[in-house]
């Protein structure tokens, strides 16, 4: 006799739903790994402290001494505003961006607002500020909003050096090993999990081309070009391209030397195309966003550049949410919990 599985039971298979959400992520080139995603069930967490403890476990499991594992931690599902759980950081690990009076920023400009929010909640930056100060994680559970600092052992970082250029080490650059997105909503199709941080491992260009290379981020191409003695007066010297290459060599080499898992964009492209083939064989169409899939350097030297993709959407998936401090509720919580209101001045939309 046919015995259909009750819908509720199917819906309970969180790990499978999470794997599918990854498989459906149109912007992710790393999806060949989707079956390897491990899920930690933290749906019983009730307080900010319990959420933080679960996040520490998440990072330890994911970091795994450098052999990065893909992990998602699932917190209680949305059941009304009163009990909403959210992590305010875009990623679990982020570096502060301190804005000076003249508008210049020390650290990561992408985290300027988050840094202000953390300071307003009472977080004190280190006595001597650097470009790579770890931000605390800001956790909201219902009406409570709290900051927690990571323990040193929880955060694996890689210092950058270059196999051929000795000057590189003296630039004092580093990055963290685990990219864990913490501000997206995990939507199964019939349920919402506004707090479900997940991580994979890095592709080198994410750090070397974008995080450290973008003019609106660490903007290091001019610094490296100068060290390499390149002609920065003419764009035709391709100084940016040279600097970009050296920076990306340093990122990949240093991660590898330290035994920290990372992939390069050529390998990632091959893996992604194989994933597309494998999906086709089981009768599924891969939806993808070309502008996100194609790596930010040497695009046309990767296979993913030379084709198009369907742009549909499927549940389960991960969706963006309005930044917590830009919601009415977030602003109310900030005002209520702020220890240093003056830090909130100039916050976008705050
Ligand atoms: N691009 C982001 C960063 O540079 C990380 C996004 C997620 N990346 C990943 N490999 N899972 O921090």
């Amino acid at each position: 006799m046919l015995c259909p599985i009750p819908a509720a039971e199917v819906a309970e298979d969180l790990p499978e739903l999470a794997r599918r959400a990854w498989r459906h992520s149109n912007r992710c080139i790393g999806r060949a790994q989707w079956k390897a995603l491990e899920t930690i069930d933290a749906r019983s967490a009730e307080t900010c402290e319990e959420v933080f403890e679960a996040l520490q476990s998440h990072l330890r499991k994911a970091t795994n001494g450098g052999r990065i594992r893909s992990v998602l931690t699932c917190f209680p599902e949305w059941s009304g505003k009163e009990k909403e759980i959210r992590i305010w950081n875009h990623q679990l690990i982020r570096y502060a961006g301190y804005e000076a009076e003249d508008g210049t920023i020390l650290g990561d400009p992408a985290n300027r607002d988050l840094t202000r929010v953390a300071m307003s909640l009472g977080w004190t930056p280190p006595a001597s500020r650097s470009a790579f100060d770890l931000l605390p994680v800001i956790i909201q559970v219902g009406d409570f909003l709290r900051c927690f600092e990571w323990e040193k052992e929880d955060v694996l970082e890689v210092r950058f050096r270059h196999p051929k250029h000795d000057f590189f080490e003296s630039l004092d650059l580093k990055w963290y090993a685990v990219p864990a997105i913490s501000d997206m909503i995990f939507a199964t199709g019939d349920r919402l999990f506004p707090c479900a941080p997940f991580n994979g491992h890095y592709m080198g260009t994410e750090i070397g081309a974008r995080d450290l290379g973008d003019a609106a981020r660490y903007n290091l191409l001019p610094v490296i070009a100068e060290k390499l003695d390149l002609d920065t007066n003419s764009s035709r010297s391709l100084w940016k391209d040279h600097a970009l290459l050296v920076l990306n060599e340093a990122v990949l080499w240093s991660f590898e030397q330290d035994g920290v898992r990372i992939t390069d964009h050529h390998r990632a492209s091959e893996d992604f195309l194989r994933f597309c083939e494998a999906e086709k064989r089981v009768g599924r169409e891969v939806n993808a966003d070309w502008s996100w899939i194609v790596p930010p350097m040497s695009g046309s030297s990767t296979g993913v550049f030379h084709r198009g993709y369907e742009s549909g959407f499927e549940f389960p998936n991960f969706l963006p949410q309005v930044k917590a401090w830009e919601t009415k509720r977030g602003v109310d919580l900030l005002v209520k919990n702020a220890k240093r209101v003056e830090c909130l001045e100039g916050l976008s939309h705050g």
Side-chain angles (χ1 to χ4, degrees), residues 7-27:
E9 215 167 284
V10 175
E12 271 317 301
D13 193 1
L14 269 186
E16 178 58 18
L17 291 167
R19 285 191 289 266
R20 280 189 218 152
W22 185 4
R23 193 179 75 205
H24 296 154
S25 295
N26 289 17
R27 296 174 163 184

Side-chain angles (χ1 to χ4, degrees), residues 22 28-30 90-91 93-94 175-176 178-181 198-203 205-208 210-211 217 263 292:
W22 185 4
C28 178
I29 192 176
H90 163 59
Q91 291 183 33
I93 305 172
R94 290 300 256 175
W175 204 254
Y176 49 87
V178 178
I181 305 294
F198 57 85
N199 75 279
H201 57 267
Y202 265 117
M203 174 167 83
T205 54
E206 297 186 82
I207 305 169
R210 306 297 315 280
D211 300 330
R217 299 289 300 285
T263 188
W292 274 72

Side-chain angles (χ1 to χ4, degrees), residues 31-285:
R31 285 182 270 166
Q33 294 285 327
W34 70 276
K35 287 182 188 155
L37 180 65
E38 296 182 50
T39 295
I40 299 175
D41 188 349
R43 284 176 298 168
S44 59
E46 285 181 343
T47 62
C48 295
E49 286 71 19
E50 284 170 7
V51 171
F52 181 63
E53 269 169 42
L55 295 179
Q56 286 182 302
S57 308
H58 179 132
L59 274 191
R60 280 194 280 262
K61 187 182 180 87
T63 306
N64 191 29
R67 297 174 305 281
I68 314 293
R69 289 189 280 230
S70 301
V71 178
L72 175 141
T73 298
C74 194
F75 290 98
E77 76 174 286
W78 166 263
S79 65
K81 279 205 157 109
E82 296 68 39
K83 292 191 189 151
E84 183 185 48
I85 301 192
R86 276 190 73 169
I87 294 169
W88 283 28
N89 311 49
H90 163 59
Q91 291 183 33
L92 294 184
I93 305 172
R94 290 300 256 175
Y95 296 123
Y98 307 106
E99 187 172 28
E101 297 274 305
D102 65 357
T104 55
I105 289 181
L106 170 67
D108 193 342
N111 303 322
R112 168 190 171 269
D113 283 359
L114 186 64
T115 304
R116 285 170 184 244
V117 168
M119 287 171 69
S120 80
L121 292 172
W123 175 68
T124 326
S128 102
R129 300 180 180 187
S130 81
F132 298 98
D133 291 343
L134 289 175
L135 281 169
V137 60
I138 302 173
I139 298 168
Q140 171 199 334
V141 176
D143 263 347
F144 295 91
L145 188 61
R146 286 207 46 197
C147 282
F148 296 85
E149 295 216 48
W150 298 110
E151 319 230 341
K152 271 238 158 324
E153 322 68 270
D154 292 338
V155 182
L156 180 60
E157 295 176 297
V158 174
R159 302 186 62 81
F160 296 133
R161 56 268 184 209
H162 189 279
K164 296 207 180 87
H165 297 290
D166 289 339
F167 74 80
F168 212 95
E169 205 171 348
S170 65
L171 295 177
D172 253 332
L173 305 175
K174 61 175 176 178
W175 204 254
Y176 49 87
V178 178
I181 305 294
S182 47
D183 60 355
M184 293 183 91
I185 195 161
F186 170 34
T188 65
D190 60 358
R191 292 190 296 167
L192 294 171
F193 297 88
C195 186
F198 57 85
N199 75 279
H201 57 267
Y202 265 117
M203 174 167 83
T205 54
E206 297 186 82
I207 305 169
R210 306 297 315 280
D211 300 330
L212 298 180
D214 273 9
R217 299 289 300 285
Y218 280 81
N219 193 21
L220 285 166
L221 301 186
V223 176
I224 294 166
E226 200 208 310
K227 294 276 185 194
L228 290 169
D229 213 11
L230 302 173
D231 174 11
T232 55
N233 290 318
S234 157
S235 58
R236 292 189 185 198
S237 69
L238 299 187
W239 62 270
K240 286 190 182 175
D241 309 69
H242 282 276
L244 201 51
L245 182 60
V246 169
L247 177 50
N248 278 275
E249 284 171 337
V251 169
L252 288 170
W253 195 75
S254 308
F255 263 70
E256 188 167 335
Q257 287 282 307
D258 285 7
V260 179
R261 187 173 186 188
I262 194 162
T263 188
D264 64 81
H265 45 296
H266 302 289
R267 174 72 198 273
S269 165
E270 286 166 18
D271 289 347
F272 183 74
L273 292 175
R274 263 194 293 275
F275 161 73
C276 292
E277 282 307 309
E279 287 295 287
K280 205 168 174 182
R281 279 198 297 278
V282 293
R284 288 191 293 256
E285 183 68 57

